[in-house]
Every structure is written in C-alpha cells, then in structure tokens.
Amino acid sequence: MDYFVIRGGKPLQGRVAISGAKNAALPILAASLLTSETLRVSNVPHLNDVTTMIELLGALGVEAAVDESGVLCISAEHLNSRRAPYELVKTMRASILVMGPLLARFGRAEVSFPGGCAIGSRPVDLHLKGFEAMGAQIDVRDGYIVATTEDGLRGCDFTFETVTVGGTENLLMAAALADGETILRNVAREPEITDLVKFLRSMGAVISGDDSDTLTIQGVSTLHSCQYTVMPDRIEAGTYLVAAAATRGCITVDGADAEHLGLVLDKLREAGVDVQVEGTCIKADMRGKRPRAVNITTAPYPGFPTDMQAQFTALNLFADGVARITETIFENRLIHAQEMSRMGANIAIDGHSVIIQGQEEVRGAPVMASDLRASASLVIAGLAAQGETRVDRIYHIDRGYERIEEKLQSVGADIVRKMR
C-alpha cells in the first residue's frame, strides 16, 4: 500500500496547472449512457474514481478510448447490461449516477447500493423518490436497487426535501429523455451541476434555470453526439492555494475559475493572504507571514464548500489565534482532527465543530487518511510542519487529485510516494 513521506517546513513557490474537475467528469461520463452516438470529452482527469467510472460503464457495454490528442471518446451504442455490479459500485458513491440515464433510455436500471468515503450518511432515497415521481417502480432485491418503467419516464414537478448534488444530477439526466416537462426545485447549485447542464445541452437537451435553485427540463426523444471540455477542478485549485498559505509561500494556479471559488478566496484573504486574479490564473502570496485564524461554517453552494473544510482546518493549525470550523453537510467529516492531534496540534472536536488554537510550530508524525479531503489536509499539515510526516492510506487522495506529489514537487515540496 502506497504512502507519502513529507519533510516539511519549506515555503511552496511556483505554478501549478489545474486538472479537470472530478465532480464534473463523473456525471458527464454517466450521461454518455443517454445516447447511442459517440461523445468526445476533453480535460478528463486521470484519477482512480474516473477509472472506476469508466470500468463501470465498460461493464455495461460502453466502449471508451483516449485518442492521440488525449480526448476521451465514449460510445454507448451497444450496451449489453443494465446492471451496475457491486464489485465496482461499492468503491465509489458516484456510481449511483448511472441509474437515471439507464432508466431514461432503456426503462430499466439495476444498481448496487453505492459505497465511497466514510464521511457520513449519504442516502439515495431522494434519488428514488424523484424517479417514482417520474413514473418508475422501485424495488430492492439482493442488495440492488431495481428501477423499471413500462411506458417510459414522464415529466413531473419535484421538490427535493434537502439539497443533494447527486440527486440533482441523477434526476436532471433522467428528465432529459422523459416525456414532457420536468421541474426540479430546491436543486443543488454547484458549478459542477451547471457544467452537466451545459454538457446535456450540447447533446440536444432543453434545460433552463442555470445557477438557480430551480431547473426546468423539456424532455426530448433522443440526444446526439457532442464535443465537450470538462470544467477545471475548483477544489484542487483551492487545495493548492491553501497549501501556499499554510507554508507561508506563494503559488499561482493556472487554468482555474475564480468565480467558482468565491468564499474560499474570501477566507484566504481574511487569513492574510494576498490573493490576485488575472484571467484563469489565481495567485496566493503569504509573503512569509504567519496566517491569521479564520472561522468557517460549511454550506451548500454558494456557501463554503464542505470539500475545502479539512484543508482550512490544516491552515488554522499554524494560524495566529483561535478558529472554529463547523461542518453542516456530513456528520463524520472531522476525523482528520484526531490525526492532526498526533502532530501536536491544539485541536478539539466540539459536536459538529473543531476548535483550533493555532501554533507557531507543529511537528511531523505518522498519520492516517480517512477520506479524500482529509488526505489533502494531512498533506498540507505535513508540508507546513517541522520534521517528517508519513501519510498512510493515500489511495483516498488518488481518487481526487491528479499526480499530487508531482505537482507539489514542482513547487518545492519534499514529498515522496513510497510503497510498503
């Protein structure tokens, strides 16, 4: 099993190119099931989760290959299965996203209950209620969710009880081929949702309401081929900017979108970082200073992203002052705090919050990652700490960060991947 060895205490300096967004690429790949025509998708990141999704689509009969220019070509013309197997679904939460496209195009979908990071309960009941509102019958058989419809899906007016990114994506894709008009209310507003809307629209879907809490979809009979470029990964960009701040360095991320990082950039400025935006380049310059403590409460977009909470927890370890970070999205997403305490951090869990008393110096130590973003936070802590840090279970980080050690090495980090 791979692990990282980090020798910290060095300010990061330089430029980092941002990859395509994992959380945009996964639903876009799932949406390939909606058409028999070949799709060409560029800026798809090379990540374990993307590989898993491609393997899952392959198990259904989808053909996928990368051409000489690096574009992923996908064809779902000859599907031979409507069943997403447990062996693949158990490893990745986003596997549930094949249900909407399969149900919409073929009238049947069988998907094992999904797995993924252990960061809290993420039930799929809202997905299923939406499918039922569109005329599907839902059964659970031998650990599989079986959704069927005899006469095809029909449009409906559906309100999500709580905001759900995956539920919004699943019903959005299903509604693209449903009969009639579908109105989805209280939908997630993340930029990755808008990217999926744009992708579906490029395939011929009729959708309105971008960036709002209500999406209206006029169902069409078929969707067609298209070429599309996946949006940049805002969480990857934010992670490297926080790493610059924690190490008192200066990093420019290239190929990012500052509009997607509103509150993240605001909080970096509050911490004392000089943040400059020029086109698709964002520069974070800590100028050798110690960061100031910042309080954070996570919330659905456009609030502060839960996927950046752990990284700011790491930043606050080295900050001047006391910070409280409150997690409102996932109930088990503070596990990294226990690992940070192994590094001598003055950090305590208080219900759904962590309270951090910043310190001038934190020492490296052996730590273990519990999920994707916790992995990133422990890497940041190790980069800013004095001495050596070993981060185990880094298969989590490979799910969402493309070549992270290579990118960090390019800006001066002493980080090495090793195999046990």
Side-chain angles (χ1 to χ4, degrees):
M1 188 178 296
D2 290 3
Y3 61 93
F4 285 145
V5 174
I6 305 167
R7 293 176 178 87
K10 300 179 180 180
L12 301 184
Q13 305 279 344
R15 308 183 78 95
V16 175
I18 298 305
S19 302
K22 174 187 83 102
N23 290 337
L26 295 178
I28 284 173
L29 292 175
S32 67
L33 294 166
L34 290 167
T35 180
S36 62
E37 299 187 17
T38 300
L39 303 167
R40 293 173 55 82
V41 185
S42 58
N43 204 33
V44 178
H46 299 286
L47 300 168
N48 286 355
D49 272 10
V50 171
T51 299
T52 299
M53 179 61 82
I54 292 173
E55 290 177 353
L56 174 58
L57 294 174
L60 300 173
V62 173
E63 297 178 356
V66 177
D67 69 12
E68 63 281 357
S69 61
V71 174
L72 181 63
C73 303
I74 317 169
S75 173
E77 182 179 5
H78 303 295
L79 260 64
N80 51 33
S81 176
R82 313 289 185 263
R83 185 180 179 94
Y86 169 75
E87 291 73 20
L88 292 171
V89 175
K90 71 178 181 179
T91 65
M92 186 179 66
R93 189 73 185 174
S95 302
I96 192 68
L97 295 178
V98 303
M99 177 164 277
L102 284 175
L103 186 59
R105 184 174 164 204
F106 302 104
R108 184 178 185 86
E110 301 179 32
V111 181
S112 171
F113 280 99
C117 284
I119 59 173
S121 174
R122 290 183 282 180
V124 299
D125 59 316
L126 296 182
H127 304 232
L128 306 184
K129 288 179 181 178
F131 292 142
E132 288 178 327
M134 299 174 75
Q137 293 79 48
I138 306 293
D139 294 304
V140 177
R141 304 173 193 165
D142 302 322
Y144 281 77
I145 305 167
V146 180
T148 57
T149 175
E150 294 181 3
D151 302 317
L153 296 177
R154 58 179 182 270
C156 68
D157 191 324
F158 182 77
T159 301
F160 289 99
E161 296 173 14
T162 58
V163 175
T164 162
V165 172
T168 299
E169 292 167 339
N170 229 341
L171 267 64
L172 174 61
M173 290 186 283
L177 290 180
D179 181 22
E181 180 180 85
T182 299
I183 301 175
L184 300 177
R185 305 181 190 275
N186 195 31
V187 299
R189 298 168 58 188
E190 273 73 4
E192 293 81 8
I193 300 289
T194 300
D195 210 41
L196 177 61
V197 167
K198 292 177 179 177
F199 175 72
L200 293 172
R201 195 178 285 140
S202 70
M203 295 171 66
V206 181
I207 305 169
S208 60
D210 307 35
D211 303 316
S212 75
D213 63 0
T214 302
L215 291 171
T216 302
I217 307 99
Q218 305 293 337
V220 297
S221 58
T222 59
L223 296 173
H224 53 68
S225 63
C226 73
Q227 298 187 34
Y228 195 78
T229 301
V230 175
M231 64 174 276
D233 195 320
R234 62 192 173 104
I235 304 303
E236 184 194 25
T239 299
Y240 288 117
L241 296 173
V242 171
T247 62
R248 307 188 188 187
C250 177
I251 285 180
T252 298
V253 294
D254 296 319
D257 190 333
E259 290 186 7
H260 298 160
L261 287 162
L263 277 181
V264 171
L265 299 185
D266 289 346
K267 286 296 179 180
L268 284 171
R269 292 186 177 102
E270 186 180 331
V273 182
D274 179 17
V275 177
Q276 301 175 21
V277 177
E278 184 174 342
T280 60
C281 301
I282 307 172
K283 181 179 180 180
D285 188 352
M286 198 66 237
R287 300 182 176 179
K289 300 181 299 181
R290 185 180 178 188
R292 295 190 294 265
V294 290
N295 298 321
I296 286 169
T297 300
T298 63
Y301 191 87
F304 191 90
T306 179
D307 280 353
M308 285 300 304
Q309 172 261 113
Q311 296 90 315
F312 270 82
T313 300
L315 175 62
N316 276 313
L317 300 183
F318 306 91
D320 182 12
V322 179
R324 174 182 285 268
I325 293 185
T326 301
E327 173 59 53
T328 69
I329 309 297
F330 297 120
E331 66 270 23
N332 293 335
R333 209 168 198 179
L334 301 175
I335 301 174
H336 49 275
Q338 300 168 358
E339 294 300 302
M340 290 173 178
S341 66
R342 293 168 54 83
M343 304 175 73
N346 190 341
I347 185 170
I349 298 177
D350 180 23
H352 296 293
S353 302
V354 289
I355 301 172
I356 309 117
Q357 171 67 65
Q359 300 173 185
E360 184 71 37
E361 183 177 295
V362 172
R363 302 294 301 177
V367 293
M368 183 179 297
S370 58
D371 62 73
L372 169 56
R373 306 307 172 185
S375 303
S377 73
L378 295 175
V379 168
I380 291 172
L383 291 171
Q386 297 299 313
E388 183 176 287
T389 297
R390 170 173 167 155
V391 183
D392 279 305
R393 296 174 65 181
I394 60 171
Y395 58 84
H396 286 297
I397 208 165
D398 291 333
R399 293 181 48 235
Y401 291 90
E402 185 176 43
R403 300 181 295 107
I404 186 170
E405 73 273 25
E406 295 177 30
K407 292 186 179 184
L408 286 170
Q409 288 164 359
S410 72
V411 291
D414 188 344
I415 177 172
V416 179
R417 180 186 292 260
K418 294 190 176 184
M419 183 176 293
R420 184 174 298 167

